[in-house]
Amino acid sequence: MKKSLRNSIYTFLCVLGLFIVKSCGVSYSFTGGSIPEWMKTVEIHFFENIAPMVYPTLSQNFTEGLKERIRNQSRLSTVSNNGDAIFEGQITNYTIAPAAVEAGTDRAALNRLTITVKVSYVNSRDEEASFDSSFTQYKEFSGDIHAQEDRLNQEIIEMLTEEIFNKAFANW
């Protein structure tokens, strides 16, 4: 087969492949999310902290962390009402518990900070994609919690928002 004919066939197949992918109606990104093309906006309500143990800035930090995750990993615009998708929920658990006991003592050698968030996600056009789920993440630490609590909260929020984003937009 001549080189120019082979190049023409190759070019045709590439263009055909791009056309097929584009016509599927789903937008793909390098962050792993697949968001329908029709979806343009998202509404993110304030996540109230109803856990028995309350960290003062957790609600604000989590809500802003979820907004930031969606802004940075999607093309969706955040709106205050009538969003194509809606996230709402509550922080239901915030605990600090021993994870490992120091040998020969009753002291904890390692502690665990755990945060649980209940999330309701509504996809306005695809009811099957909507969900009500709880997400739990934790970080282990040693030493005084007060010196590390801000950092640990931020790390857990990053893990939680990634898991929520993936469930909503990457079908994981």
Side-chain angles (χ1 to χ4, degrees):
M1 190 178 286
K2 289 188 174 182
K3 189 175 184 179
S4 64
L5 180 59
R6 193 173 0 175
N7 286 343
S8 296
I9 291 172
Y10 177 74
T11 302
F12 173 76
L13 291 174
C14 286
V15 170
L16 181 63
L18 288 173
F19 176 74
I20 290 170
V21 168
K22 180 67 177 165
S23 67
C24 288
V26 175
S27 170
Y28 296 93
S29 73
F30 292 111
T31 60
S34 59
I35 300 170
E37 285 187 27
W38 61 264
M39 189 178 286
K40 307 286 186 218
T41 60
V42 64
E43 215 177 303
I44 302 171
H45 294 236
F46 185 75
F47 281 73
E48 183 181 358
N49 190 345
I50 63 166
M53 183 175 166
V54 175
Y55 186 73
T57 59
L58 184 58
S59 289
Q60 183 69 31
N61 292 345
F62 177 80
T63 304
E64 289 304 314
L66 185 56
K67 287 178 181 179
E68 184 178 329
R69 167 83 56 191
I70 291 170
R71 264 193 312 267
N72 291 340
Q73 293 191 341
S74 76
R75 57 174 166 61
L76 299 175
S77 299
T78 305
V79 295
S80 55
N81 56 16
N82 297 322
D84 296 325
I86 301 169
F87 287 94
E88 57 189 348
Q90 306 167 318
I91 298 164
T92 58
N93 186 36
Y94 186 90
T95 57
I96 301 167
V101 178
E102 196 172 293
T105 70
D106 289 339
R107 289 185 42 206
L110 197 60
N111 292 296
R112 177 178 291 172
L113 172 60
T114 304
I115 300 174
T116 302
V117 180
K118 184 177 186 298
V119 178
S120 175
Y121 168 73
V122 177
N123 180 318
S124 67
R125 288 198 198 169
D126 184 2
E127 194 173 305
E128 288 186 23
S130 299
F131 62 82
D132 284 307
S133 298
S134 288
F135 299 86
T136 300
Q137 291 289 342
Y138 66 88
K139 290 296 277 187
E140 293 179 345
F141 65 95
S142 58
D144 181 35
I145 182 64
H146 301 294
Q148 307 172 65
E149 201 164 8
D150 285 341
R151 177 185 56 78
L152 292 168
N153 274 303
Q154 191 56 43
E155 291 174 7
I156 294 170
I157 287 169
E158 287 176 20
M159 293 187 301
L160 285 166
T161 59
E162 179 178 7
E163 188 176 4
I164 294 163
F165 180 90
N166 286 341
K167 179 155 183 159
F169 300 122
N171 300 319
W172 291 3

